[in-house]
Amino acid sequence: MIKNIKRAGIIFLAIAIICLMAIGCLVANLNNNIAKDSGLYSEQNVELKANTSVSSAAPDNQYTYHLTCDCAVGTPCVCGKMAQIWEEGVKFSAQNNKNVRIILDKDWLAKDDSKKVTSFGGNDGDYNPALNYTDEAFFNGRLSIPKGATISLDLNGHTIDRRLQAYDEEGNLTGDKARQQGNVIVIFAGTLKLYDASYDAEIVEEIYQQYKDDKEGLYNQLKNLECGKITGGSCSASSSGGGINVNQLGSKFEMYGGMVTKNYAIDGGGIACMINTYSYIHNGIVFDNLSQNGGGGIYSAEAGKVEIMGGLVAFNRTLATSATQGGIFVESTLSTTITNTYVAYNSFAGNGAGINIESSGVSYINNIDIIYNSAEIGHGGGLRSTANSKIRFSGANDIYGNTHLEGKLNDLLITDYKYGKLNITEPLSLKEGGSGQKIKVFRTKTIGTYNYSPFESITIGYSNKNGDIDPSTIFEAENGQTILKDGEVAFDFSVDSEYDFTYLENNERKYYYENEKLFGYNDEEIANKVLGKILPNTSVHDFIKNIELFNFTDLKLFNNSCQIYGEGADSKYQSLLNNGYELAVGTGWRIEYTKEENVTQIIYLSVLGDLTGDGKVNSADVNYLRQVITNNSYENLSVEQKLAALIVNNGKIPTRTDSQIIWEVICGRVDIVEFI
């Protein structure tokens, strides 16, 4: 019985070996058929060698093509062989639903084309919109990934250059042949996986850490880095993404290494992720690209999902002054993740230089460096959040050195304090071993139609995730003190102001700062909001300058009869706004500003020693106070007048001592500052 079992096992093993040999022959024949036209060897299931932070194992059913030709090194391929191999690989992938690996064995430079300026291949002549190019391997001069194709492109240390954009050694633009379809690569409902066997993520990390605070040093290191590159794209009009355009519904782009550099487009100088597409950037460098309107490095508009989960986005530039887009610009995108990524030295003339999130679905931002980005004359240097941004912010971050408004420090700007707050979904901290610098928050007046209140919190869920951790250890206001307000991060501006909000308690003058009160937070029981510590003979312009840090929106200033300052002010006062003797800010004047949409806040003013409301301290105030004391009419005074009258006997009804002090001030023998 045992012998029969052994004999059966031997027969079964032999049959299995014969079957495997047959399958091997079939595979070999299939591979030979794939490569027979090009004469190149193709192999099945070969691992990629790109050094990335994620698994680089090749997917199943993958076939390999090598892009090469006999043309001289450093010259465009004019023999057509590289174009032929590319087309074979792309069409095989699309027709057989296979993941095809294409390895670049030499630089591929687009050839001159009389109609397309430069072209990698495809039909000669003008672009014909009547033709369906979404089924082709080339589209109007560009490399194309058509519907159904999955291409794993290994740059292998080489460059793909469209040759439409050129720069000198200093980085200045020396050649610009921008055209409507001037991208390097366009993805039309297919999938592109970009690798680079020469890319070493550890070396890039070392370069960044060593040179991150040295702008010139980091730029030169990245410029001279030996790795595969996508370069030379230049789009003049409707086509975004100078380097790579992820274009149509169902398009998918993955990046695991290499560099996208020296490309230009109206939107998305390096990479553009467009309508209903999916992009996953897990490593690699987006460096020194240029856009006209926004997204100098990466631009996402109405995309389905974008993940930037590693690598470096640096030195990308945007030119327009009126746009609101940054080095990474995301608008109207369903889901965005930016994590474990370095965003550095991107510059923008307009608003939002580093990362700009605008009117999008949920955006997850954590464990990120945002450093030395600059909005040259606009708002928002580092991270800019606008209306309906829905940012989920967490992790250990290093955000510092970012500037806007011609050099003012700004790491975080929230322009909509009703719908653009940071949702703290996980514990938040500064990065251990990072710069140690706090995230500098800038608060600006209304931009466009955004809702704004300088006293609103900037977070949602801070205390839920960070407990009682003092937010001042993480955030720093441009002015004012970082505090917890109902468990959220907010700011007290009075701490750095010459003035402070004031109130009466048992007939005693109290100031907010000394009594742990915050305007608009825990002062609900104070009916009349009064701003005090204002000295006599303060001009309107000096007063306005000293309250700028409060950032009152649509500020208007009224005296006891009409509007003095702001839109709609009486023009007859214009020439007196700098004159504190002819027109001084007085007790009983009021500020009106837009607290939120369709809501106006009123703040009254109290000038120490000024009971008559003319902004001066003179004999009229002495006589007024003496009359109040004689007639016991103190209770008939307004709150602002009571606060102004409490000179010496603070805590009691004024006496003749108070009137005498005012007289001594008038005579110049006493400085009223001593009684603030």
Side-chain angles (χ1 to χ4, degrees), residues 55 190 292 325 378 424 458 473 519 572 574 589 616 635:
S55 174
Q292 178 61 39
Q325 306 165 8
I424 310 302
I458 66 169
T473 62
F519 180 79
K572 71 181 180 182
Q574 184 64 36
W589 288 28
K616 308 175 183 64
E635 293 302 327

Side-chain angles (χ1 to χ4, degrees), residues 30-42 65 80-81 84-85 87-89 92:
L30 178 59
N31 284 335
N32 289 333
N33 291 333
I34 293 170
K36 67 179 182 179
D37 292 332
S38 61
L40 296 177
Y41 174 70
S42 298
Y65 291 76
K81 190 173 183 179
Q84 176 191 346
I85 299 169
E87 187 171 24
E88 288 177 3
F92 175 83

Side-chain angles (χ1 to χ4, degrees), residues 538-557:
T538 298
S539 72
V540 171
H541 273 165
D542 283 344
F543 175 74
I544 295 299
K545 181 178 180 180
N546 287 328
I547 64 172
E548 281 183 349
L549 60 85
F550 290 98
N551 286 313
F552 295 119
T553 304
D554 300 326
L555 174 68
K556 297 177 181 178
L557 178 64

Side-chain angles (χ1 to χ4, degrees), residues 215 345-354 370-383 399-413 440 442:
K215 181 177 182 179
Y345 294 105
N346 299 284
S347 63
F348 187 29
N351 299 317
I370 308 175
I371 67 171
Y372 298 118
N373 301 282
S374 174
E376 296 165 3
I377 60 175
H379 290 89
L383 171 61
I399 305 177
Y400 68 93
N402 303 284
T403 60
H404 68 167
L405 300 176
E406 298 181 335
K408 287 187 177 182
L409 288 173
N410 167 237
D411 299 320
L412 171 64
L413 172 65
K440 197 167 188 69
F442 180 86

Side-chain angles (χ1 to χ4, degrees), residues 540-597:
V540 171
H541 273 165
D542 283 344
F543 175 74
I544 295 299
K545 181 178 180 180
N546 287 328
I547 64 172
E548 281 183 349
L549 60 85
F550 290 98
N551 286 313
F552 295 119
T553 304
D554 300 326
L555 174 68
K556 297 177 181 178
L557 178 64
F558 296 81
N559 66 9
N560 294 316
S561 59
C562 65
Q563 184 179 338
I564 299 295
Y565 177 87
E567 185 178 354
D570 193 329
S571 60
K572 71 181 180 182
Y573 294 101
Q574 184 64 36
S575 62
L576 300 176
L577 297 182
N578 280 315
N579 192 332
Y581 295 93
E582 292 292 327
L583 182 67
V585 173
T587 295
W589 288 28
R590 71 183 188 277
I591 291 171
E592 293 186 4
Y593 76 95
T594 302
K595 181 179 180 181
E596 56 186 80
E597 190 174 2

Side-chain angles (χ1 to χ4, degrees), residues 98-116:
K98 301 294 184 182
N99 183 357
V100 167
R101 181 187 184 197
I102 297 180
I103 300 175
L104 195 62
D105 283 345
K106 61 177 291 186
D107 293 349
W108 190 2
L109 281 62
K111 64 181 180 179
D112 293 330
D113 187 289
S114 60
K115 300 295 184 181
K116 307 181 186 74

